[in-house]
Amino acid sequence: MDELTENTTFADLALRPELVEALSSLGYEEPTPIQRESIPPLIAGQDLLGQAATGTGKTAAFALPMLQHLDAENRSKNPTGLILVPTRELAMQVSEAVHKYGRALGARVLPIYGGQPIGRQIDALSRGTHVVVATPGRLLDLQKSGQIRLDKVQYLVVDEADRMLDLGFAEDLAEVHALTKDRAQTMMFSATFAPRV
C-alpha cells in the first residue's frame, strides 16, 4: 500500500465497496488519523492498541475492519465480533454506528447491557448475530447461563479501556479474553494509556 496521507480516502484503505458507500452516505469524506493508521493493520489481522481522543472516529477505526471480514451467511447465535464497552449508553451508540456501517452487508448487530430485560437479549441472540456490543457484566451473565458462547469470537475490541478499568472491569475483561480462547484478533482503544491499561 502506498504511503497514507491526509489525502487518503476510505477507498484507498482497501475497504469493501459496500462499506465505502455506507460511509459516503453517512457524510464521511476522508478517514481521520486514527482510522488511517488503524484500518490497514487491522484488515491484515494484526492486534492493535489505538489511542485517540473522544470524537476522533475510533468506532469506525475498529468496526470497519471487523465488517470487512463479515460473513453475512453466518447466522450463528455465537458472534464472530465482540465489542466490550463500559456503559449501556456507549453500547447503544456503538451498536447503532456498526449497524449503519454494515447495513448493506446484512450485518446483524446486537447491544447487550444491564437494565434491559434479559429475555429480549436472549431472543435476539437465538435469531443469530454477527457482532455483539456488550457491557462485561451482562455478557458474562449470558455466557454463564449458556445463552452465548465466546469461543467463536474472531474479533475482540475493548473500547474505552481506560474507563473500563476506572469502573472496575479488569477481572471481567480478563475472563472474557480467556473465554475467547486467545484466538481472537484483539483491538484495544482508549483516550489515554496509563501503565495499568
Side-chain angles (χ1 to χ4, degrees):
M1 181 179 289
D2 296 331
E3 185 79 20
L4 300 178
T5 68
E6 285 82 28
N7 298 324
T8 299
T9 67
F10 283 106
D12 293 332
L13 299 179
L15 290 168
R16 290 165 78 155
E18 300 95 333
L19 294 174
V20 174
E21 288 170 26
L23 293 167
S24 178
S25 72
L26 292 168
Y28 289 48
E29 295 179 7
E30 59 189 35
T32 65
I34 188 69
Q35 293 163 355
R36 272 197 316 270
E37 294 174 30
S38 300
I39 291 172
L42 289 176
I43 287 176
Q46 298 174 24
D47 291 346
L48 186 121
L49 296 175
Q51 180 179 0
T54 301
T56 55
K58 290 194 296 289
T59 301
F62 60 72
L64 295 171
M66 188 183 296
L67 292 166
Q68 177 80 6
H69 299 292
L70 181 81
D71 175 6
E73 301 304 312
N74 178 11
R75 294 293 184 181
S76 170
K77 74 172 195 172
N78 301 306
T80 55
L82 175 60
I83 303 167
L84 295 173
V85 295
T87 65
R88 90 174 100 185
E89 293 78 19
L90 194 57
M92 290 185 286
Q93 179 184 328
V94 170
S95 176
E96 184 178 329
V98 176
H99 174 73
K100 285 179 182 174
Y101 303 149
R103 182 180 292 145
L105 299 172
R108 296 170 65 98
V109 185
L110 177 64
I112 291 179
Y113 51 85
Q116 181 186 53
I118 199 166
R120 275 193 224 154
Q121 295 170 349
I122 292 169
D123 288 346
L125 279 171
S126 71
R127 291 190 297 273
T129 186
H130 298 109
V131 179
V132 165
V133 183
T135 55
R138 178 54 66 92
L139 177 71
L140 288 170
D141 288 345
L142 288 166
Q143 184 274 326
K144 288 172 183 162
S145 67
Q147 302 300 325
I148 187 171
R149 288 178 46 195
L150 303 180
D151 59 341
K152 302 296 184 201
V153 169
Q154 297 172 18
Y155 311 98
L156 173 63
V157 177
V158 179
D159 191 17
E160 299 207 9
D162 49 355
R163 287 189 61 203
M164 291 283 232
L165 295 183
D166 288 344
L167 293 170
F169 287 124
E171 286 182 18
D172 290 347
L173 292 176
E175 186 173 350
V176 169
H177 189 257
L179 290 166
T180 64
K181 305 289 189 200
D182 295 332
R183 286 194 296 258
Q185 178 184 8
T186 304
M187 304 158 240
M188 186 176 291
F189 285 80
S190 192
T192 59
F193 270 113
R196 66 199 180 97
V197 176

